Amino acid sequence: IWRYHPVTKEFELFAEGGGNTWGLDFDAHGNVIAGTNWGGFAMLHQVQGGYYIKGFGKHGPLHNPRSYGYVDHVPCPNFKGGHVTVGGIVYQGGALSEKYENAYIAGNLLSNSLIWYTFDRKGSTFTCKQRGDFLTANDTWFRPIDCLTGPDGALYVADWYDKRANHVDPVDTWDRSNGRVYKVQTKGAKPSLVIDPPLGKRPSKELVALLDNPNSWLVGEARRVLMERRDASVVPDLRKMVLEDKGKLALESLWALRVSSGLDEDFAAKLLDHPNEDVRTWAIRLIADDKKVSPGFRDRLVSLARTETSPTVRCQLACSAKRLPGPDCLPIVRELLRRDEDADDPFIPMLLWWAIEDKAVADRDAVIGLLDSPAAWREPIVSRFIVERLARRY
């Protein structure tokens, strides 16, 4: 998973690995959910700086030969059906049956169907459950490869439509004449939404008001236009919304504040005490994205690593620490290594190892200093995940 910033022109590998991923979406918390063609699984939860399983024989090793491990797919104990999960989205349209809201809906390429899944929290990540067929075709040529939520909240499905479903045969016999798009909506749905005037011609305050809309398409488009405008006049309103709301609007407002160039360290520091764990998570991530923090903000992150109750926030602290220089990274890591409750977390121990490995040479003395007492060696994360890998690294 890579990302490219259209303004700064910065290219970055966000997370490496995955099961031949085709399709990516973001849930209501901003988590990256990626598709896969790995048998028995429906998706991966990709976090910043993570290393993931992939077809090593086919696609080669991880770029970092000293990653010494990787994270696997989101567990799905009741998974069944064809193993190619593509073009999935976390539906946030507000127009389908309520049971589908925030569910993962994805194409099952070999089973000629769309399947839907729900999530269950597990530490800093989650597991999923296959809930059943969302749409099953009576045509073996039906090849759903991508899904999108539309302006009207309906689900739009791109159908490759071909007898062939793989590239095993090197002969070019693909049928390029029959691709199609389906619109899936509830019975009795209202006519398609007409956006008039277009969002790009509306005042910025109207776009801010759309951030609370139940349709993720409208919210995303409003945020995109705000990003293009960089309208400083909306910054006070957005800051007020972030501070006063405790739910999803606070997070949407934070994202809009960021793209409107209204987020700085001083305001982000206030958000580290926000009641919404997603706001705390993203305040850390967005400031650390620049790969540098002030000493004062670093000290706040160290304190948070010591006291934070949410594994989601601690996970982001581990991700963001790796991005920072050693003197800022390792004090955060030291506190997180002491959090015994994270020893069984699916992500955090390995993320801490990757943060340490990143500084193993440039900040060797400080890394060795993490093991400066007998008590440090006995910490569960250190003894189970760090000591052997660090010895191997050196």
Side-chain angles (χ1 to χ4, degrees):
I1 304 295
W2 57 268
R3 60 181 183 171
Y4 174 76
H5 197 296
V7 177
T8 66
K9 311 300 183 185
E10 183 179 4
F11 173 91
E12 182 179 60
L13 185 66
F14 179 83
E16 183 180 355
N20 212 12
T21 293
W22 178 266
L24 179 147
D25 197 23
F26 302 88
D27 68 9
H29 312 281
N31 293 314
V32 176
I33 312 297
T36 183
N37 72 347
W38 208 276
F41 297 97
M43 69 191 82
L44 295 108
H45 172 199
Q46 302 263 20
V47 299
Q48 191 174 34
Y51 294 100
Y52 288 79
I53 192 171
K54 63 177 180 175
F56 299 106
K58 182 177 182 180
H59 299 126
L62 295 166
H63 281 86
N64 182 358
R66 301 179 180 91
S67 58
Y68 302 155
Y70 49 81
V71 179
D72 210 329
H73 290 73
V74 174
C76 188
N78 68 335
F79 183 90
K80 61 181 179 179
H83 69 273
V84 181
T85 302
V86 296
I89 64 167
V90 181
Y91 178 75
Q92 301 167 76
L96 297 181
S97 172
E98 187 177 350
K99 67 181 181 181
Y100 296 124
E101 196 68 25
N102 294 307
Y104 184 66
I105 302 173
N108 198 315
L109 193 67
L110 301 182
S111 295
N112 316 112
S113 63
L114 296 173
I115 310 294
W116 69 289
Y117 306 81
T118 55
F119 301 99
D120 293 303
R121 181 77 173 264
K122 182 180 181 182
S124 64
T125 180
F126 36 81
T127 63
C128 71
K129 291 179 182 176
Q130 189 178 95
R131 294 299 184 178
D133 292 335
F134 177 82
L135 183 155
T136 301
N138 60 355
D139 189 339
T140 57
W141 282 37
F142 177 66
R143 307 292 184 188
I145 59 168
D146 205 8
C147 300
L148 285 175
T149 303
D152 53 358
L155 185 74
Y156 291 81
V157 183
D159 178 13
W160 173 10
Y161 202 76
D162 201 328
K163 181 179 181 179
R164 291 185 62 175
N166 61 56
H167 50 78
V168 174
D169 186 350
V171 179
D172 183 357
T173 57
W174 303 105
D175 187 332
R176 294 178 171 85
S177 64
N178 286 310
R180 56 197 69 185
V181 176
Y182 290 100
K183 176 182 177 181
V184 184
Q185 62 184 20
T186 54
K187 291 182 178 180
K190 297 179 181 179
S192 295
L193 180 67
V194 177
I195 302 177
D196 186 28
L199 299 188
K201 295 184 178 181
R202 297 188 187 186
S204 296
K205 285 189 176 294
E206 284 191 21
L207 300 179
V208 170
L210 281 174
L211 297 177
D212 203 21
N213 194 282
N215 185 347
S216 60
W217 187 94
L218 285 169
V219 176
E221 285 297 293
R223 187 169 60 243
R224 179 183 60 79
V225 177
L226 288 171
M227 180 273 294
E228 293 172 351
R229 290 181 182 175
R230 301 287 204 279
D231 185 351
S233 70
V234 301
V235 168
D237 287 343
L238 289 171
R239 288 187 170 186
K240 183 179 180 181
M241 290 161 64
V242 176
L243 291 173
E244 293 184 355
D245 189 82
K246 297 180 181 180
K248 188 175 185 297
L249 179 59
L251 182 58
E252 293 289 354
S253 302
L254 175 58
W255 289 336
L257 182 67
R258 169 69 168 191
V259 300
S260 299
S261 301
L263 180 66
D264 56 28
E265 266 199 9
D266 290 340
F267 186 72
K270 297 178 182 179
L271 303 183
L272 298 182
D273 296 317
H274 199 282
N276 186 329
E277 65 178 355
D278 291 330
V279 172
R280 301 197 301 275
T281 295
W282 277 89
I284 296 164
R285 174 169 160 179
L286 292 173
I287 295 301
D289 260 358
D290 294 333
K291 301 181 180 179
K292 59 181 180 181
V293 293
S294 68
F297 198 82
R298 184 270 319 278
D299 292 344
R300 287 295 310 277
L301 296 183
V302 173
S303 176
L304 199 64
R306 188 182 308 121
T307 61
E308 175 58 54
T309 58
S310 166
T312 299
V313 180
R314 296 196 298 269
C315 179
Q316 185 59 51
L317 280 166
C319 294
S320 294
K322 179 184 174 183
R323 301 176 65 83
L324 302 177
D328 298 323
C329 162
L330 294 172
I332 300 170
V333 168
R334 179 186 286 272
E335 296 299 332
L336 292 174
L337 290 173
R338 295 169 174 165
R339 302 299 297 263
D340 296 354
E341 64 266 47
D342 291 330
D344 293 319
D345 189 87
F347 285 168
I348 293 175
M350 288 303 296
L351 288 168
L352 290 172
W353 159 244
W354 292 324
I356 291 170
E357 191 280 325
D358 190 68
K359 317 301 178 190
V361 174
D363 299 275
R364 181 186 179 100
D365 291 344
V367 167
I368 296 298
L370 296 173
L371 301 174
D372 58 4
S373 70
W377 288 72
R378 290 192 291 268
E379 289 159 359
I381 294 177
V382 173
S383 62
R384 289 169 53 186
F385 295 93
I386 305 302
V387 171
E388 182 178 347
R389 287 180 171 88
L390 186 59
R392 182 180 174 189
R393 176 65 177 85
Y394 285 138

